[in-house]
């Protein structure tokens, strides 16, 4: 993203600002926000139970907001293009990619990151299982893997099919777990242990 | 990323009005493709109209048609009981695409409008791309064109349509409902997408100020269906070739009717009516499926690195029709 960050000429900027003055003038309603290119906009979102009332540039991704502004660096930036899954977080309980999510669109949503899974000093069962089964080597993909796996078990319980379960009519076979976790790449290749960790949590219920 | 304005209307009319009011505006759905293209510098909107809170998230049956709201997330469509019961090939196609995270984000309307993954289109460091910069040339025709089209391309562009869902929708005979300042209109999916010809930057029939509001899927009368996707890895990869097939067999195993569409081989979901007609009243055998497959890829024009797709497409058609015939 940085290569294109300053991809705006002075002429563009002046033109846009002048146009914005007439287009956006005063018409900011609470329910249906409107902001110009030179503006920041109000955004309230809850991350790991803490509410944040923010003034955001619309181009800030949820990932960059968390890492650069809120110092929540547990969520990792891998590819920054939706190809690796390292930035996976939960939005209202659903797993999404924070690198392709503009933070402003999450106004009113509840975000859960790896920092929000433990409770009362007790690791989440999925975190414990990754440690127990050695589900990582370098650890860079791990927070995304764990967030993804937590949401995945919820999806299975709610009846979400996968490309594998649709045909085999069976969920949580090794093949099904791999398919459901295919959005999270691990370049160390810890996949067998990741599958084992997820299976152990599922079996414990 | 270029700076842009942002608005989040809560009704369809206001969304369309905002798209018209703000120069260089675009609608933002799930953002899984648009935000990425903005990071790459391929798309540079000056304003985003966030449509994700518009009330277009219903999936309902009206007579013999399933109507899917354009802002329904891909994962919701794939898991919906109506879709699973009445047109499972649509679930199969959606679940073959992207990853669970992306399917949770991506909207039905946005999925239809996703752009090609041609390397030369996606990376502005390549000067030549008629789709990105009209008149600049095509780097793929003489370049590394392994993933490119063998059917429907032109001297100006050989990019493929990359999606899965639209391939199933094409075979199902689906239509797209759009709303614009001049009212509502319905377009069949097969007529919605355009071939590149001399204007590859125009990919479909949608006007900039028109919004897809729903997809209408006629529930098929078939005995079996299948979406087959062939790719470089088993999951989370785009299709080299894919086939959505629907077969209606009589009790004596003769084909009453069959429909199929190909993905990964053309700039749009590739459907050949003559190939489908060649199956009617014929026995469901490999030889008959092979005849239809030959017709389907008639006129194929492979390039230096994608010649393998011609035979792969034919074999995929045979396998998809075979599997669809064995189901039900």
């Amino acid at each position: 993203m940085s290569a294109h960050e300053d991809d705006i000429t002075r002429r563009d900027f002046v033109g846009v600002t002048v146009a914005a003055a007439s287009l956006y003038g005063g018409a900011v309603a609470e329910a249906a926000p409107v902001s110009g290119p030179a503006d920041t906009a109000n955004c309230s979102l809850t991350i790991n139970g803490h509410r944040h009332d923010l003034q955001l540039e619309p181009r800030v991704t949820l990932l960059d907001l968390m890492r650069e502004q809120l110092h929540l660096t547990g969520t990792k930036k891998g590819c920054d293009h939706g190809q690796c899954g390292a930035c996976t977080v939960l939005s209202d309980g659903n797993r999404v990619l924070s690198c392709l999510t503009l933070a402003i669109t999450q106004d009113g949503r509840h975000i859960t990151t790896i920092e929000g899974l433990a409770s009362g000093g007790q690791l989440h069962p999925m975190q414990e299982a990754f440690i127990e089964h050695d589900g990582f080597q370098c650890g860079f993909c791990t927070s995304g893997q764990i967030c993804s796996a937590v949401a995945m078990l919820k999806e299975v319980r709610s009846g979400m099919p996968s490309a594998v379960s649709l045909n085999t009519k069976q969920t949580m076979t090794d093949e099904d777990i791999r398919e459901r976790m295919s959005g999270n790449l691990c370049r160390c290749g810890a996949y067998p242990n990741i599958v084992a960790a997820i299976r152990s949590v599922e079996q414990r219920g | 990323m270029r700076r842009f304005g942002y608005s989040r209307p809560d009704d369809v009319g206001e969304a369309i009005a905002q798209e018209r009011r703000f120069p260089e505006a675009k609608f933002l759905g799930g953002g899984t493709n648009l935000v990425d293209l903005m990071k790459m510098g391929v798309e540079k909107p000056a304003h985003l109209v966030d449509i994700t809170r518009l009330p277009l998230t219903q999936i309902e049956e009206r007579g013999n048609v399933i109507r899917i709201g354009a802002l329904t997330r891909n994962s919701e469509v794939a898991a919906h009981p109506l879709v699973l019961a009445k047109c499972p090939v649509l679930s199969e196609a959606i679940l073959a695409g992207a990853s669970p995270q992306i399917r949770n984000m991506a909207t039905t309307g946005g999925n239809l409008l996703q752009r090609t993954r041609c390397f030369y289109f996606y990376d502005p460091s390549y000067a030549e791309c008629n789709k990105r910069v009209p008149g600049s040339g095509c780097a793929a025709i003489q370049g590394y064109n392994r993933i490119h089209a063998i059917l429907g391309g032109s001297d100006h562009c050989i990019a493929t349509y990359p999606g899965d869902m639209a391939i199933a929708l094409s075979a199902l005979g689906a239509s797209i409902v759009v709303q614009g300042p001049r009212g509502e209109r319905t377009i069949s999916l097969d007529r919605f997408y355009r071939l590149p010809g001399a204007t590859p930057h125009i990919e479909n029939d949608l006007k900039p100020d028109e919004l897809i509001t729903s997809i209408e899927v006629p529930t098929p009368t078939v005995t079996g269906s299948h979406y087959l996707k062939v790719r470089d890895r088993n999951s989370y990869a785009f299709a080299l070739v894919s086939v959505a097939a629907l077969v209606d067999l009589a009790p004596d195993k003769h084909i009453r009717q069959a429909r199929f569409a190909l993905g990964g081989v053309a700039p749009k979901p590739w459907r050949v009516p003559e190939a489908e007609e060649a199956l009617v009243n014929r026995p469901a055998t490999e030889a008959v499926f092979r005849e239809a497959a030959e017709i389907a890829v008639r006129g194929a024009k492979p390039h230096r690195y994608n010649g393998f797709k011609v035979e792969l497409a034919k074999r995929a058609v045979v396998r998809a029709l075979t599997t669809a015939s064995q189901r039900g």
Side-chain angles (χ1 to χ4, degrees):
Chain A
M1 188 165 83
S2 56
H4 302 288
E5 207 127 72
D6 304 316
D7 191 6
I8 178 166
T9 64
R10 188 173 179 279
R11 196 181 55 175
D12 284 345
F13 184 76
V14 171
V16 163
T17 309
V18 170
S22 57
L23 285 166
Y24 298 90
V28 181
E30 182 81 23
V34 177
S35 64
D39 301 341
T40 55
N42 293 325
C43 177
S44 295
L45 68 175
T46 303
I47 303 179
N48 301 329
H50 299 286
R51 184 182 157 131
H52 299 266
D53 296 311
L54 304 159
Q55 284 284 317
L56 288 178
E57 261 196 88
R59 63 178 169 172
V60 175
T61 63
L62 178 60
L63 177 62
D64 285 338
L65 167 70
M66 294 188 303
R67 289 184 56 86
E68 307 294 334
Q69 298 185 34
L70 305 178
H71 309 295
L72 289 165
T73 55
T75 307
K76 302 303 180 196
K77 182 182 280 195
C79 69
D80 207 27
H81 289 281
Q83 297 175 5
C84 76
C87 69
T88 302
V89 298
L90 313 183
S91 171
D92 287 348
N94 300 310
R95 46 178 167 165
V96 298
L97 299 177
S98 59
C99 77
L100 294 181
T101 301
L102 296 174
I104 190 95
T105 65
Q106 297 298 294
D107 190 27
R109 306 275 190 237
H110 285 73
I111 308 298
T112 305
T113 72
I114 190 73
E115 291 99 332
L117 289 180
S119 65
Q122 186 69 38
L123 290 179
H124 187 281
M126 192 64 75
Q127 291 173 303
E128 288 190 332
F130 267 65
I131 295 167
E132 189 184 323
H133 291 271
D134 202 15
F136 47 83
Q137 282 185 38
C138 82
F140 198 79
C141 72
T142 310
S143 42
Q145 298 275 6
I146 290 175
C147 285
S148 190
V150 168
M152 184 269 260
L153 290 184
K154 198 190 84 176
E155 288 169 10
V156 172
R157 283 194 289 271
S158 72
M160 173 67 67
S162 80
V164 169
S165 75
L166 210 55
N167 290 325
T168 62
K169 311 294 178 204
Q170 280 184 296
T171 57
M172 298 304 287
T173 59
D174 280 6
E175 197 191 356
D176 185 44
I177 293 173
R178 286 173 179 274
E179 168 60 27
R180 292 176 187 274
M181 290 297 292
S182 72
N184 293 83
L185 304 191
C186 169
R187 292 299 75 177
C188 301
Y191 296 115
N193 295 0
I194 292 171
V195 171
I198 294 170
R199 169 170 312 294
S200 75
V201 176
E202 194 254 347
Q203 283 167 348
R204 266 180 249 150
Chain B
M1 201 191 294
R2 180 186 179 181
R3 284 186 167 169
F4 53 86
Y6 173 84
S7 53
R8 194 169 57 234
D10 39 32
D11 76 81
V12 171
E14 179 58 19
I16 292 165
Q18 287 183 358
E19 199 286 335
R20 288 165 67 84
R21 194 184 323 149
F22 300 120
E24 297 175 68
K26 274 196 170 291
F27 293 119
L28 174 70
T32 56
N33 191 208
L34 179 56
V35 172
D36 191 29
L37 289 166
M38 288 165 66
K39 289 184 180 193
M40 295 299 294
V42 176
E43 294 277 12
K44 298 178 182 182
H47 187 95
L48 288 183
V49 180
D50 180 349
I51 55 173
T52 55
R53 315 259 174 130
L54 299 182
L56 299 172
T57 55
Q58 297 292 310
I59 298 176
E60 57 196 1
E61 193 171 24
R62 290 184 192 172
N64 295 327
V65 171
I66 297 175
R67 197 179 165 108
I68 300 168
L71 294 170
T72 320
R73 307 288 170 165
N74 284 185
S75 49
E76 291 172 299
V77 179
H80 199 279
L82 261 179
V83 176
L84 285 167
K86 302 278 175 91
C87 43
V89 72
L90 181 56
S91 293
E92 227 183 331
I94 292 171
L95 293 171
S99 70
Q101 291 95 317
I102 291 174
R103 295 194 294 269
N104 279 342
M105 300 167 72
T107 63
T108 303
N111 185 304
L112 294 173
L113 300 177
Q114 66 176 308
R115 312 297 302 275
T116 184
R117 265 43 174 211
C118 170
F119 327 116
Y120 304 102
F121 166 75
Y122 225 90
D123 184 350
S125 66
Y126 292 99
E128 293 182 317
C129 175
N130 287 322
K131 194 184 273 299
R132 183 161 35 75
V133 184
S136 62
C138 173
I141 289 172
Q142 297 301 324
Y144 186 58
N145 43 40
R146 181 172 179 269
I147 67 167
H148 291 77
I150 53 170
L151 291 158
S154 72
D155 293 342
H156 302 270
C157 182
I158 55 168
T160 54
Y161 174 79
D164 296 295
M165 185 186 76
I167 311 305
L169 289 174
S170 171
L172 286 161
S175 296
I176 299 170
V177 183
V178 306
Q179 181 86 39
R182 294 159 298 280
E184 187 180 89
R185 66 192 179 104
T186 303
I187 321 153
S188 83
L189 185 121
D190 287 332
R191 295 178 59 151
F192 178 73
Y193 293 109
R194 293 194 193 176
L195 291 178
T199 54
H201 59 290
I202 302 169
E203 297 178 350
N204 56 57
D205 199 35
L206 198 67
K207 310 285 181 295
D209 58 2
E210 284 182 321
L211 182 67
I212 299 175
T213 52
S214 66
I215 317 295
E216 293 185 339
V217 187
T219 52
T221 312
V222 293
T223 49
S225 63
H226 181 45
Y227 185 75
L228 172 66
K229 183 172 181 179
V230 184
R231 44 188 158 171
D232 285 327
R233 63 181 180 198
N234 213 17
S235 185
Y236 201 13
F238 288 95
L240 289 167
V241 171
S242 69
V243 181
L246 297 110
V247 177
D248 189 31
L249 292 186
D252 68 356
K253 299 296 174 199
H254 272 65
I255 302 163
R256 277 196 289 243
Q257 199 203 359
R259 300 204 299 260
F260 65 92
L262 286 141
V265 293
K268 59 183 278 187
W270 197 253
R271 196 167 164 206
V272 181
E274 305 85 69
E276 297 174 353
E277 283 153 23
L279 293 165
V280 177
N281 290 324
R282 306 283 303 281
T285 63
E286 186 176 331
V288 169
F289 295 150
R290 182 81 194 183
E291 273 181 50
E294 296 284 352
I295 298 170
V297 300
R298 204 180 269 166
K301 192 180 167 199
H303 299 273
R304 183 169 174 196
Y305 295 101
N306 69 357
F308 71 96
K309 280 194 180 182
V310 181
E311 180 60 25
L312 187 62
K314 287 192 269 190
R315 292 185 191 190
V317 167
V318 172
R319 206 170 112 195
L321 287 168
T322 304
T323 304
S325 300
Q326 289 161 351
R327 285 184 174 175

